Amino acid sequence: MGNNLDKYDRSFIETFGLEKNMLAGLKYQDIKEWDSVGHMNLIGEIEDAFNIELDIDDITDLSSYEEGKKILKRYKVKF
């Protein structure tokens, strides 16, 4: 099992079919795959990876790769 950053990155990579070098700076709707359906798929991947359930406000606020890391820190996920 990888570290938390690897798990987080893998959520994006597997959901959107991206390369690791495409993650920094990625924002909601920057790519066609990150639409509302893709967003919910990403949330599911993140929740499964970290065994958490995100609050509805956090689901809405997860608008970028970087913002997601800030949100996960509130769930005691360390990067």
Side-chain angles (χ1 to χ4, degrees):
M1 184 177 303
N3 68 31
N4 286 338
L5 184 57
D6 288 339
K7 287 197 284 187
Y8 182 67
D9 288 354
R10 202 166 33 252
S11 295
F12 280 84
I13 291 166
E14 291 179 6
T15 301
F16 302 130
L18 300 174
E19 299 293 324
K20 187 176 179 76
N21 65 351
M22 300 167 76
L23 300 178
L26 184 67
K27 293 182 175 54
Y28 179 63
Q29 296 187 333
D30 274 357
I31 55 171
K32 66 179 174 56
E33 293 83 3
W34 197 352
D35 57 9
S36 58
V37 173
H39 188 72
M40 294 315 296
N41 290 337
L42 175 64
I43 296 301
E45 286 285 332
I46 291 170
E47 288 179 335
D48 289 348
F50 295 100
N51 197 28
I52 57 173
E53 187 173 328
L54 294 173
D55 180 272
I56 189 69
D57 290 334
D58 292 330
I59 291 170
T60 304
D61 292 346
L62 203 160
S63 57
S64 70
Y65 173 79
E66 283 75 17
E67 189 63 31
K69 289 195 281 190
K70 291 180 196 170
I71 289 168
L72 285 177
K73 287 179 182 174
R74 295 197 294 257
Y75 291 82
K76 309 291 187 244
V77 175
K78 295 185 183 352
F79 292 102

